[in-house]
Amino acid sequence: MPGPPPHPRAPGRPPRPGPPPVLVLALAAIAGGWAVARAGGPAPDRDGAAARAAAALTRPSARARVVRTIDGDTAVIAFRDDAGPARVTVRYLGVDTPESVHPDKPVECFGPAASHANRGWATGRRVRLRFDRERVDPYGRVLAALVPDGWRRSLSERLVAEGLGRVLTIAPNGADGPRLRRLQRRAEGRRVGLWGVCGDGLRSKE
């Protein structure tokens, strides 16, 4: 015996199809990049220059050149590998200098001094990159300590030793942490740089 007829479909328009998955992903990527730009963060490493730099500059003999500095603890370097010349932003390992150019934050105490010192020490110099465990951050910046030719210390170490920055280590990186903290304790004790001017609110919590 045949069963009952199927229930008739309710009248009305069929549902409109949603956007294709590729379009959804593209829109999400655009929105994410806009959010990063609004937050003042760096642009993603779309051309792979950071990964190329991390691969090409690991050898002790490899060198790059600092094209310009951005603030007290960030610079743009130029290098060459098998794919040709490229430039990439480097965030110095182990140090955090006061803000001087952040679009959404005020200029902080000793920020311009740190930026000026970094510009004078680094611009135009040939440098060796000293890496830790994580070599590229989520925004496509290389994470490394820069050691100018002829220097025994990295720029991170000199910034901390002269009271122009505070120690900042973020796991899984941190190999330079003990040495940098010793330098910071000396700078704090001598009250040089920001430690003598900016107050105890900047004292390290590490």
Side-chain angles (χ1 to χ4, degrees):
M1 180 177 180
H7 192 278
R9 182 183 298 272
R13 293 183 178 179
R16 298 178 63 183
V22 172
L23 179 58
V24 172
L25 292 175
L27 291 173
I30 293 170
W34 174 251
V36 169
R38 292 281 295 173
D45 181 36
R46 293 189 178 91
D47 60 359
R52 288 171 54 193
L57 299 172
T58 55
R59 302 187 310 276
S61 60
R63 294 293 185 272
R65 186 174 299 278
V66 177
V67 177
R68 63 184 177 90
T69 57
I70 296 174
D71 54 17
D73 52 34
T74 315
V76 176
I77 63 168
F79 70 97
R80 179 181 290 274
D81 63 3
D82 292 341
R87 295 185 178 189
V88 68
T89 299
V90 178
R91 175 66 169 82
Y92 299 172
L93 281 177
V95 63
D96 179 40
T97 60
E99 295 291 351
S100 60
V101 295
H102 197 288
D104 298 323
K105 295 181 181 179
V107 173
E108 294 179 338
C109 180
F110 245 74
S115 183
H116 178 78
N118 186 37
R119 183 166 59 250
W121 293 337
T123 306
R125 298 293 297 268
R126 279 168 46 90
V127 292
R128 172 171 60 90
L129 274 67
R130 194 168 68 208
F131 294 99
D132 205 328
R133 294 181 63 185
E134 184 178 35
R135 298 180 178 183
V136 179
D137 75 7
Y139 301 124
R141 299 180 300 185
V142 171
L143 301 174
L146 299 188
V147 184
D149 281 356
W151 287 31
R152 290 185 299 171
R153 285 179 171 176
S154 68
L155 289 163
S156 301
E157 291 170 301
R158 186 164 182 183
L159 287 161
V160 171
E162 299 199 12
L164 295 167
R166 295 154 286 177
V167 176
L168 175 66
T169 57
I170 300 175
N173 294 336
D176 289 346
R179 180 168 56 254
L180 290 167
R181 281 188 280 273
R182 286 194 298 271
L183 292 171
Q184 178 167 299
R185 285 194 292 269
R186 293 174 193 166
E188 289 186 68
R190 292 163 45 219
R191 301 196 68 78
V192 298
L194 60 86
W195 304 112
V197 176
C198 302
D200 290 342
L202 292 174
R203 194 168 297 277
S204 172
K205 296 180 181 179
E206 293 191 328

